[in-house]
């Protein structure tokens, strides 16, 4: 049974930081590309950051220089370090695992940036 479980979300003030984690089970984690996406009401889900099996990364323009995606294959976990958070970062953040022919999503974790 495939399962992706996000954690680390919560309420932070503008300028603060959070570290999200996504623990995967039921897949051969090391061969999957992993991604973080986010969605707010009335908007399309958007890519935040990607990391492939070789640990090459890609970021949405709005988070470049503030967010860092990383992975620990020994722990079957992908992380998203988020710094200098603003109100515009408020969203539900989703973890995705993908390889050729397969795609899986987590249930999401809420991040709220508010003063």
């Amino acid at each position: 049974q495939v399962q992706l479980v996000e954690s680390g979300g919560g309420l932070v003030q503008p300028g603060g930081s959070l570290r999200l984690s996504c623990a995967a089970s039921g897949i051969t984690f090391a061969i999957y590309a992993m991604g973080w996406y986010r969605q707010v009401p009335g908007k399309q889900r958007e890519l935040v950051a990607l990391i492939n099996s070789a640990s090459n990364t890609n970021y949405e323009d709005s988070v470049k220089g503030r967010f860092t995606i990383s992975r620990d294959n020994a722990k079957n976990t992908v992380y998203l370090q988020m710094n200098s958070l603003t109100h515009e970062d408020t969203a539900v953040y989703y973890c995705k695992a993908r390889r050729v022919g397969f795609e899986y999503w987590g249930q999401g974790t809420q991040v709220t940036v508010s003063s």
Side-chain angles (χ1 to χ4, degrees):
Q1 185 175 358
V2 177
Q3 190 169 341
L4 275 59
V5 180
E6 300 97 334
S7 61
L11 175 65
V12 296
Q13 294 189 353
S17 297
L18 284 174
R19 189 194 194 201
L20 305 183
S21 298
C22 173
S25 60
I27 62 172
T28 305
F29 182 83
I31 68 173
Y32 278 75
M34 303 297 299
W36 287 98
Y37 293 73
R38 65 187 180 187
Q39 187 170 27
V40 299
K43 295 285 189 177
Q44 294 290 313
R45 187 173 298 183
E46 68 174 3
L47 172 69
V48 177
L50 289 173
I51 184 166
N52 68 9
S53 60
S55 293
N56 300 124
T57 59
N58 189 40
Y59 296 92
E60 182 76 19
D61 286 344
S62 65
V63 308
K64 286 181 179 177
R66 299 189 298 122
F67 291 10
T68 303
I69 188 170
S70 61
R71 67 191 297 158
D72 187 338
N73 290 342
K75 296 181 178 180
N76 286 2
T77 301
V78 63
Y79 305 94
L80 185 68
Q81 178 67 46
M82 305 186 294
N83 299 326
S84 301
L85 287 162
T86 75
H87 293 119
E88 295 177 356
D89 296 313
T90 295
V92 177
Y93 284 71
Y94 297 90
C95 176
K96 185 177 82 172
R98 189 174 73 87
R99 57 160 288 188
V100 174
F102 301 91
E103 183 176 281
Y104 305 101
W105 289 90
Q107 295 188 155
T109 184
Q110 177 71 48
V111 172
T112 302
V113 185
S114 178
S115 58

